[in-house]
């Protein structure tokens, strides 16, 4: 499984961005895709996740502002980010959780996309 993240950029506080994560390879084995972010000097943190059954979960810091969704026909997961704050500035990564036929889980990471929110 390969992941390609895109959609980052520079936006003013209160603005919006939509990130995309396109999966390729054995995408049928993907159990869930999540978004994570890492700000300078900080550890990578969970942002949102969507399962193959379309259940979603969000970090408290982004609830009500971010929405994760998927478009199966395009093997793409989106992260719609509204009401952006300067503290949302980070490199955003997508991660796929993949099951193998033996019940093992593996993580696959995409490259990051930079989101910068100016005050």
């Amino acid at each position: 499984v390969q992941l390609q993240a895109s959609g980052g950029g520079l936006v003013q506080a209160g603005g919006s961005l939509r990130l995309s994560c396109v999966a390729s390879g054995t995408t049928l084995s993907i159990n869930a895709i999540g978004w994570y972010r890492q700000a300078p000097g900080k550890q990578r943190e969970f942002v949102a996740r969507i399962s193959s059954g379309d259940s979603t979960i969000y970090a408290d810091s982004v609830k009500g502002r971010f929405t994760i969704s998927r478009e199966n026909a395009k093997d793409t997961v989106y992260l719609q980010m509204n009401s952006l704050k300067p503290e949302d500035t980070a490199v955003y990564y997508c991660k796929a959780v993949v099951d193998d036929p033996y019940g093992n889980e593996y993580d696959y990471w995409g490259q990051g996309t930079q989101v910068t929110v100016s005050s």
Side-chain angles (χ1 to χ4, degrees):
V1 172
Q2 296 82 43
L3 301 174
Q4 180 73 36
S6 63
L10 173 64
V11 64
Q12 287 189 332
S16 299
L17 282 174
R18 189 177 79 160
L19 306 183
S20 300
C21 177
V22 180
S24 60
T26 46
T27 57
L28 289 178
S29 62
I30 294 176
N31 186 359
I33 291 183
W35 285 97
Y36 293 74
R37 65 188 181 186
Q38 187 166 18
K42 294 187 177 182
Q43 290 190 331
R44 192 171 297 187
E45 64 176 7
F46 168 78
V47 176
R49 168 181 161 131
I50 186 165
S51 72
S52 56
D54 285 341
S55 63
T56 58
I57 186 169
Y58 297 91
D60 288 344
S61 59
V62 306
K63 278 181 184 176
R65 300 188 299 122
F66 291 10
T67 302
I68 190 170
S69 62
R70 63 194 299 154
E71 188 172 357
N72 290 333
K74 295 184 178 180
D75 288 327
T76 301
V77 169
Y78 303 102
L79 185 68
Q80 178 67 44
M81 306 185 296
N82 298 329
S83 302
L84 282 162
K85 305 174 181 180
E87 51 264 43
D88 294 318
T89 295
V91 178
Y92 283 70
Y93 300 87
C94 56
K95 183 187 83 171
V97 179
V98 174
D99 295 335
D100 74 7
Y102 309 102
N104 300 309
E105 283 192 352
Y106 300 90
D107 292 342
Y108 292 84
W109 289 90
Q111 92 295 355
T113 184
Q114 176 71 47
V115 171
T116 304
V117 184
S118 63
S119 56

